[in-house]
Each structure stands twice: as structure tokens, then as C-alpha cells.
Amino acid sequence: MALRDRLRPWHALMVVVLLAGIGVSLSRADTITTAAAVRALVSGLFGLVIFQFTVGNIWGYAVEYRNAGGSWTDLPFLVPFVLAGLAGVAAGVWTGSPGAGAWVAFWVFVFVAAAVAVGTWVLVGYRGANANG
């Protein structure tokens, strides 16, 4: 199997994020030195890890919800997104920092998505127990 057949659009997006992180870091450097290039590479890799952790996990949440028979228009699926968005905007306005807003939005999403997943799992378990009993 050729490498081209194993690469997906996700991989291309990750390369773009890496290059963007490197480019932004280099654009902030006064002169391009070896140290600046190493910092740019580390910055790009850090940005890639953050991207993979956030966007990758959110995409995984969406795909797993869909694979479990849910629809992306279901209220339980949308609740984490809505609450995270509201909390992120509120935190960003309150602190004046978009970074703080993004940080709060991410963690609200994580906790609400976990609560929805556990709640759904419990409800499905009770429905299954009632159907068998």
C-alpha cells in the first residue's frame, strides 16, 4: 500500500497546523537564528498537540455519538457545545482574555460531554434491564 493511500485529509490538516505554528513563531522573531528556528519548531509542535487534543477529541465525541445511533441534531449531543460556548464567551468577556475563554470552554465541554455520556449510558442500561425483566 502506497503512503499516499494511507494519508487522510486529517494528516494534511495537521501538517498545515504545524506549519502555521512554525510560521507564526518565526514571524515574531527579530532574526532567524538556529535558536529561533528550534523555538519555532517546538512552538509548532505544541500548537499541533493542542490542536490534536482539542479538535481530535471533539471530532471523536461526534463520531462516537453518531456511531452509537445518535444524530448530530439531538439535544444531548448539542448540550456540551452550547454550554461550552456560553461559558467560554462569559469567561472571555469577564477576564478580557480570549485564551481564558477558550480554556474554560474546552473544560466545560469535557465535563458536560462526560456527564452526558454517563447519563446516556445509565439510561440505556436501565432501558435494557427493563426490556429483559
Side-chain angles (χ1 to χ4, degrees):
M1 178 182 277
L3 177 63
R4 161 183 48 185
D5 297 332
R6 289 183 286 183
L7 293 178
R8 302 282 184 253
W10 178 253
H11 298 112
L13 186 57
M14 290 191 318
V15 169
V16 168
V17 168
L18 173 66
L19 293 176
I22 291 170
V24 167
S25 183
L26 286 175
S27 71
R28 292 179 179 167
D30 293 334
T31 58
I32 299 178
T33 63
T34 303
V38 169
R39 280 193 302 273
L41 178 61
V42 170
S43 177
L45 289 171
F46 181 70
L48 180 59
V49 167
I50 297 298
F51 175 81
Q52 179 76 10
F53 188 68
T54 56
V55 176
N57 282 329
I58 291 169
W59 181 249
Y61 169 76
V63 168
E64 289 302 320
Y65 191 88
R66 178 81 176 204
N67 288 345
S71 171
W72 290 342
T73 57
D74 293 346
L75 184 60
F77 174 76
L78 296 174
V79 165
F81 292 101
V82 171
L83 291 179
L86 291 173
V89 168
V93 168
W94 186 53
T95 63
S97 168
W103 183 254
V104 168
F106 174 76
W107 286 108
V108 167
F109 176 84
V110 167
F111 289 121
V112 174
V116 167
V118 169
T120 303
W121 182 67
V122 168
L123 284 175
V124 168
Y126 280 125
R127 286 183 189 154
N130 287 337
N132 294 329

